[in-house]
C-alpha cells in the first residue's frame, strides 16, 4: 500500500520544521495513544521537525520536558491520559518554564478543558481528528507566537 | 432505551469514517438485541456515566479492524498489533466525542470513560436490565456495528 503522505519538495521552499539557521525545531509529543503519537510524528518529521521525545502520560511528559529543557521548542499535549491528565501536566510545565510553548490536542467536546488550558498558558489547541494541514498550521503559528 | 440516543453515534460514525477512511458507507437497518450477544472479533467499548449511563460498543471483525487501521495509518498493517488496537481505540474515541457533543447539545450531561479494546472470537457481552440497539454500517472494508445500551439514571 502506498502512503497517503505527500512529501514536500525541499527545492521549492524551506520546510516548516526548520529554523532560520537550518536546524530543526524540536518537539516533545505527550499522548497515551500510539496511533496519535505516530500520526503527529509523521506529519512533523516530514516537514523537517525533529521529535526529541515522546511520553505516554502526563507525569512522564513533565519529567521528559524537564530532562530535555532547554533543548525543546514545542510540546503537543493530549488532554485525556492516565497517571496525570494533560491539563495538569501543562500546569506543571508552565510552572517550570513560563516560556514553554504547549499545544493541546483535544477530542471534540472538551471545550471547558481547552479554555482552562489556554488560561493556564497553553498557546494553542488542535481538535481531533488530526490532519496534516491542521497540525502544521497550528504548530507553525504557535512557534511564531512570542 | 430511547432510540434518539443512538442517532448521534451513527451520525458521528458516518462523518468520522468518511473523513478518516473515505469509504462509501451505507447505514443498515437498526435492530434490537437481547441482553446477551456475541461480538464480531474486535470491540471498542466506551462507558458513559451521568444523566444517561451505559456503554457503546464499536464492533467489527478482525479483518475489518486491520483494514481500517491500515488506512488510518497510511501503511499496511499485517495483524492486530498494538498500533492497530491503538488506532481503533482512537477511532472509537473520536466518534464518541463527537456524538457526546451532540447529545450534550440536546441537554444530556455525562462523562466518558476512555475506550478499551477487547478481542476474541467467542466472546459475549452481557448487559443487565437494558437492551441494546444496533446499527450496522457497511463500509467497503467490511461491517462495523454500533451497539448502544444506555439508560437514564433515576
Ligand atoms: Mg488520550
Amino acid at each position: 500500500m502506498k502512503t497517503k503522505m505527500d512529501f514536500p519538495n525541499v527545492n521549492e521552499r524551506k520546510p516548516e520544521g526548520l529554523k532560520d539557521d537550518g536546524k530543526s525545531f524540536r518537539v516533545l509529543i505527550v499522548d497515551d495513544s500510539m496511533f496519535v503519537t505516530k500520526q503527529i510524528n509523521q506529519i512533523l518529521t516530514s516537514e523537517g521537525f525533529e521529535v526529541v521525545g515522546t511520553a505516554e502520560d502526563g507525569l512522564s511528559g513533565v519529567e521528559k520536558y524537564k530532562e530535555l529543557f532547554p533543548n525543546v521548542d514545542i510540546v503537543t499535549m493530549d488532554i485525556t491520559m492516565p497517571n496525570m491528565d494533560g491539563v495538569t501536566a501543562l500546569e506543571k510545565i508552565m510552572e517550570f518554564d513560563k516560556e514553554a510553548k504547549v499545544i493541546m490536542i483535544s477530542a471534540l467536546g472538551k471545550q471547558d478543558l481547552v479554555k482552562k488550558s489556554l488560561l493556564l498558558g497553553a498557546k494553542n489547541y488542535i481538535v481531533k481528528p488530526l490532519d496534516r494541514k491542521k497540525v502544521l498550521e497550528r504548530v507553525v503559528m504557535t512557534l511564531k507566537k512570542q | 432505551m430511547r432510540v434518539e440516543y443512538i442517532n448521534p453515534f451513527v451520525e458521528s460514525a458516518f462523518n468520522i469514517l468518511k473523513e478518516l477512511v473515505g469509504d462509501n458507507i451505507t447505514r443498515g437497518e437498526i435492530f434490537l438485541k437481547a441482553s446477551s450477544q456475541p461480538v464480531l472479533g474486535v470491540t471498542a467499548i466506551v462507558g458513559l456515566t451521568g444523566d444517561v449511563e451505559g456503554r457503546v460498543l464499536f464492533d467489527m471483525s478482525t479483518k475489518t479492524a486491520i483494514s481500517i487501521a491500515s488506512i488510518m495509518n497510511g501503511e499496511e498493517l499485517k495483524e492486530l498489533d498494538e498500533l492497530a488496537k491503538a488506532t481503533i481505540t482512537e477511532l472509537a474515541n473520536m466518534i464518541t466525542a463527537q456524538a457526546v457533543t451532540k447529545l450534550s447539545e440536546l441537554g444530556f450531561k455525562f462523562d466518558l470513560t476512555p475506550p478499551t479494546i477487547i478481542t476474541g472470537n467467542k466472546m459475549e457481552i452481557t448487559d443487565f436490565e437494558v437492551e441494546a440497539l444496533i446499527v450496522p454500517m457497511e463500509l467497503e472494508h467490511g461491517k462495523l456495528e454500533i451497539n448502544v445500551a444506555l439508560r437514564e439514571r433515576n
Side-chain angles (χ1 to χ4, degrees):
Chain A
M1 191 186 290
K2 266 203 198 157
T3 70
K4 277 202 239 169
M5 294 182 38
D6 45 301
F7 289 93
N9 183 342
V10 286
N11 297 322
E12 281 172 13
R13 60 177 177 84
K14 187 168 74 73
E16 308 274 21
L18 298 186
K19 302 176 190 173
D20 291 335
D21 63 6
K23 292 203 181 99
S24 294
F25 284 109
R26 297 153 299 182
V27 190
L28 168 63
I29 302 172
V30 186
D31 205 303
D32 64 330
S33 167
M34 192 196 282
F35 167 69
V36 177
T37 301
K38 182 174 175 240
Q39 218 184 1
I40 297 174
N41 194 322
Q42 277 180 343
I43 293 169
L44 293 179
T45 48
S46 76
E47 269 296 325
F49 289 87
E50 186 189 351
V51 175
V52 288
T54 60
E56 288 178 14
D57 61 60
L59 202 59
S60 45
V62 176
E63 275 165 21
K64 217 44 212 234
Y65 188 86
K66 290 179 178 173
E67 203 180 295
L68 290 168
F69 184 83
N71 299 310
V72 53
D73 301 299
I74 192 162
V75 182
T76 70
M77 180 70 76
D78 183 23
I79 290 186
T80 315
M81 289 182 291
N83 286 334
M84 181 191 283
D85 66 81
V87 181
T88 313
L90 161 77
E91 211 175 347
K92 304 260 182 226
I93 289 178
M94 297 311 297
E95 272 168 25
F96 172 76
D97 170 20
K98 60 183 191 334
E99 309 286 312
K101 290 182 168 172
V102 181
I103 296 192
M104 307 308 286
I105 308 288
S106 170
L108 203 66
K110 303 254 183 252
Q111 284 89 339
D112 291 353
L113 292 175
V114 168
K115 259 185 228 158
K116 190 175 168 196
S117 305
L118 294 172
L119 289 173
L120 287 169
K123 298 285 182 290
N124 219 323
Y125 67 97
I126 311 175
V127 176
K128 293 186 279 193
L130 302 179
D131 64 44
R132 185 182 166 81
K133 186 168 163 279
K134 209 150 68 173
V135 171
L136 287 174
E137 209 173 77
R138 296 296 167 100
V139 168
V140 169
M141 197 193 291
T142 305
L143 285 167
K144 280 181 186 153
K145 267 188 202 174
Q146 278 319 307
Chain B
M1 183 184 118
R2 286 156 64 180
V3 69
E4 67 233 59
Y5 295 146
I6 199 173
N7 285 331
F9 290 94
V10 176
E11 280 169 34
S12 316
F14 190 91
N15 295 338
I16 301 271
L17 287 166
K18 193 105 211 151
E19 178 170 350
L20 296 180
V21 184
D23 273 12
N24 275 321
I25 304 163
T26 47
R27 180 190 162 158
E29 284 298 312
I30 190 165
F31 63 98
L32 200 80
K33 249 188 196 176
S35 64
S36 205
Q37 42 196 307
V39 296
L40 298 175
V42 178
T43 306
I45 307 183
V46 183
L48 284 84
T49 55
D51 294 350
V52 179
E53 59 184 14
R55 54 83 189 144
V56 179
L57 308 181
F58 300 91
D59 197 12
M60 67 208 89
S61 71
T62 308
K63 188 167 169 274
T64 302
I66 295 171
S67 303
I68 291 177
S70 296
I71 295 172
M72 285 176 65
N73 280 285
E75 71 177 90
E76 197 169 352
L77 304 179
K78 299 266 186 274
E79 56 183 344
L80 196 75
D81 54 11
E82 289 310 309
L83 177 62
K85 285 185 196 167
T87 309
I88 298 299
T89 306
E90 189 55 30
L91 177 69
N93 222 344
M94 287 185 276
I95 293 173
T96 314
Q98 198 177 97
V100 164
T101 306
K102 284 178 188 160
L103 282 168
S104 54
E105 281 161 12
L106 297 174
F108 299 107
K109 291 234 176 314
F110 42 74
D111 283 319
L112 298 176
T113 64
T116 36
I117 284 260
I118 53 171
T119 57
N121 285 321
K122 293 220 174 70
M123 261 188 328
E124 284 200 351
I125 303 270
T126 306
D127 298 296
F128 296 98
E129 295 170 51
V130 58
E131 72 278 359
L133 283 174
I134 294 159
V135 175
M137 313 276 287
E138 295 288 346
L139 285 73
E140 287 161 40
H141 290 83
K143 184 176 69 174
L144 184 147
E145 281 187 1
I146 301 167
N147 178 319
V148 179
L150 297 174
R151 63 171 177 189
E152 273 153 78
R153 203 168 66 181
N154 32 38

